Amino acid sequence: MGWGRGEALDGSETGWGRQAEPAPRWRALLDRARLAGRGAEHHDVDHRAEETPAPPPETLPRRAAGTGWTGRAQAVARPTDASFGAEPAYRVEATYRVEPAYRVDPRHGGEPAYQAEPAYRAEPEPRAEPSWRAEPVRPPDPGYPEPSPRGRGTASVESRYALLDGGYQPDPPPAESRYALLDRGRYRPEAHPVPEPARIEPPRIEPARVEWRAPEPETELERAAGVLRRELGGPRVLAFANPKGGVHKTTATVLAAATVGSVRGRGVLAWDDNELRGTLGLRAGSARHARTIRHLIHDLAQIEILEGATLLEHLDDYLRHASDGSYDVLAGEESPRFAQRLDQFTVKRVLELLRRTHDVVCVDTGNNVESPNWRTVMQAADQLVVTTVPREDAAFSADWMLDLLHEEGMGELADNAVTLISCPTPGRTPLQDDLERHFATRTRAVAVVPYDPALETGSSIEYHQLQAETRQGWLKAASVMLEPFAR
């Protein structure tokens, strides 16, 4: 059995039992090129076939036996030329029938849309910091109009030809610096009027009111300490004398030196000039050595020639010192045979040496008014201190000594003397008042020092161990002794 060229199997468009495939694009273009010479009609038909939308697919009728082209006449809009034999396989795409097997199943749901992960969020745009804001445009000063722009690139710049038509005007030369004008002498600064200063009325000053107030009265103790601190106009010798023993000559010598030394701080010495075994060295000063006036006289010739610090250093080897360092002590000799060597000339040499090293020298005289050392100290003394106690025999001995001084030509020393009454017992006796009135007529002043139990034993005297009342009494008494010399 054979089939013609255009025949096909029953129920098939290709003759092979399957549907006809659409013609490739290049075959359609090739056919169009081949039919291009047959006239514009065929060309229009082809374009219309391409441009006309395809009708909805219809059910293809069954072909009758004998011809395979009976079912294809209705698929095209116009009949084609019978002389042109187109291949039955290259039909218009409108004849293509979709196989029902390729229909979309309505029950099949579409794939869900892709959702982006929430972690990949777009970062927000950075916000501009407020500190980078543009500066506000300052309005122009109404007193100065805006100059017209003449620079290159502005809208008001005239063209090159307009500048030539109006006449070329070159730019002015640059201004010279201030220093160049000063060098040539052509610079003159602008003279600005100097405003007159405002007239300010000076504040009215009220006259100060001076109110005079009487100074507070100085206490007696402050006045006494002030006297002891003053300059004395040179070294002064205080002689403590009374021919009778037991009238506190040694005690008065030590406490006077301790009181003056505690105020002045230095330059005070107590000398025991008793020719018969004095006890001043035992009651005052530290016994750091056993040297006395006898050792000093033995080396007096070598020490007298020294000066300044060397003299003080060598003399210190023969002196004893108080426990608080307020005064020095030159102890007397205990041997009775040594009294023969204290002649008048030797005593003067010792006094002259002590004047060179100390400001105040307190001398404890002996009981023998006929001895040369006693008379020599009286002649060299600047102040006589008559010591006594409120007893008749002690007062009689002191009164007789004053008469002797007047007879010996030392009446001025006796008249300017200070009577020092020491109270050996607490309390005041009626005899003390009589003694104060009596010696006030014979001497310059009378001083009374109170009783102190620390002095009753007769042992070493420590000034800081005395009662406050006792120290105050000795401060007043010492100021009375040195008051005529205070400057």
Side-chain angles (χ1 to χ4, degrees):
M1 181 174 180
W3 292 277
R5 181 179 181 183
E7 296 178 357
L9 294 175
D10 187 17
S12 175
E13 296 182 357
T14 60
W16 297 96
R18 59 183 177 88
Q19 295 180 357
E21 296 179 2
R25 185 68 176 171
W26 64 273
R27 293 297 299 272
L29 295 177
L30 182 59
D31 293 344
R32 187 181 304 172
R34 292 171 60 184
L35 296 177
R38 298 196 177 188
E41 181 181 357
H42 299 280
H43 184 69
D44 296 337
V45 173
D46 295 338
H47 279 279
R48 282 194 298 270
E50 293 178 2
E51 296 175 1
T52 303
E58 298 180 0
T59 306
L60 297 177
R62 291 284 183 176
R63 291 182 298 175
T67 62
W69 306 96
T70 57
R72 301 182 185 179
Q74 297 179 1
V76 294
R78 291 184 183 181
T80 58
D81 189 4
S83 60
F84 178 74
E87 295 182 4
Y90 299 104
R91 299 294 182 180
V92 182
E93 296 178 1
T95 61
Y96 177 74
R97 185 182 60 181
V98 180
E99 190 174 352
Y102 291 95
R103 295 179 182 176
V104 180
D105 188 359
R107 295 174 300 175
H108 178 70
E111 296 181 2
Y114 175 77
Q115 297 180 358
E117 297 181 4
Y120 295 95
R121 297 181 179 178
E123 297 183 358
E125 294 293 334
R127 297 170 57 185
E129 297 183 2
S131 60
W132 296 98
R133 296 179 180 177
E135 297 183 359
V137 180
R138 297 177 59 186
D141 193 352
Y144 298 93
E146 287 290 335
S148 59
R150 297 181 59 184
R152 183 177 297 178
T154 58
S156 61
V157 175
E158 299 178 356
S159 65
R160 182 183 300 176
Y161 302 101
L163 293 175
L164 292 176
D165 294 340
Y168 175 72
Q169 298 178 358
D171 294 336
E176 296 180 353
S177 65
R178 178 179 297 182
Y179 302 101
L181 296 175
L182 289 175
D183 295 339
R184 299 180 182 179
R186 293 185 297 173
Y187 174 72
R188 295 293 183 271
E190 298 181 2
H192 299 281
V194 180
E196 296 183 0
R199 189 172 183 180
I200 302 175
E201 294 292 337
R204 185 176 180 181
I205 302 176
E206 298 292 339
R209 299 179 60 184
V210 180
E211 183 178 357
W212 184 85
R213 294 181 181 179
E216 295 182 1
E218 188 178 17
T219 63
E220 190 174 2
L221 295 178
E222 293 176 351
R223 177 182 175 277
V227 171
L228 298 181
R229 292 190 186 100
R230 296 177 189 174
E231 293 292 335
L232 302 178
R236 301 299 175 179
V237 176
L238 307 182
F240 294 81
N242 191 325
K244 187 178 186 313
V247 291
H248 292 185
K249 288 193 302 292
T250 302
T251 302
T253 304
V254 173
L255 289 179
T259 303
V260 177
S262 64
V263 176
R264 298 182 67 90
R266 59 180 180 82
V268 181
L269 180 137
W271 176 25
D272 188 1
D273 189 30
N274 194 334
E275 72 282 356
L276 297 175
R277 198 172 183 175
T279 59
L280 189 146
L282 299 176
R283 302 194 65 184
S286 60
R288 59 188 184 123
H289 55 75
R291 297 187 182 94
T292 61
I293 183 63
R294 178 171 62 87
H295 301 87
L296 177 61
I297 293 176
H298 181 271
D299 301 332
L300 187 59
Q302 289 80 11
I303 298 176
E304 286 178 330
I305 61 176
L306 300 178
E307 298 288 342
T310 306
L311 174 61
L312 292 174
E313 182 180 358
H314 282 74
L315 181 61
D316 188 67
D317 296 336
Y318 303 92
L319 303 180
R320 304 177 187 182
H321 306 289
S323 58
D324 57 354
S326 58
Y327 64 99
D328 302 326
V329 176
L330 178 58
E333 179 59 36
E334 298 179 0
S335 175
R337 292 177 297 181
F338 177 72
Q340 301 176 359
R341 301 178 57 181
L342 285 176
D343 52 35
Q344 181 179 359
F345 181 70
T346 303
V347 172
K348 288 183 178 180
R349 291 172 60 188
V350 173
L351 284 175
E352 185 62 27
L353 178 64
L354 297 179
R355 287 171 180 265
R356 293 168 56 187
T357 56
H358 294 79
D359 298 330
V360 178
V361 179
C362 300
V363 182
D364 179 12
T365 61
N367 299 331
N368 187 4
V369 296
E370 299 295 334
S371 63
N373 59 324
W374 191 92
R375 290 178 175 269
T376 304
V377 170
M378 288 297 169
Q379 295 174 356
D382 298 295
Q383 177 66 56
L384 173 63
V385 179
V386 181
T387 62
T388 186
V389 292
R391 290 172 52 181
E392 292 184 1
D393 55 348
F396 177 79
S397 177
D399 195 33
W400 174 80
M401 184 187 66
L402 292 177
D403 294 338
L404 178 63
L405 292 176
H406 279 278
E407 295 176 1
E408 296 293 334
M410 293 181 284
E412 185 178 359
L413 179 65
D415 294 339
N416 293 325
V418 175
T419 302
L420 181 65
I421 302 176
S422 299
C423 299
T425 58
R428 188 179 182 88
T429 62
L431 182 59
Q432 181 177 342
D433 297 335
D434 295 340
L435 295 179
E436 291 180 9
R437 288 192 295 267
H438 172 73
F439 284 102
T441 60
R442 303 211 58 181
T443 57
R444 176 175 60 86
V446 178
V448 180
V449 292
Y451 164 81
D452 195 292
L455 305 175
E456 189 175 3
T457 60
S459 61
S460 177
I461 300 175
E462 298 293 341
Y463 179 76
H464 62 277
Q465 293 180 357
L466 300 180
Q467 297 178 356
E469 183 182 0
T470 306
R471 292 196 300 268
Q472 294 174 5
W474 278 102
L475 181 63
K476 298 175 184 178
S479 65
V480 173
M481 300 174 192
L482 294 176
E483 187 174 10
F485 314 105
R487 299 291 186 267

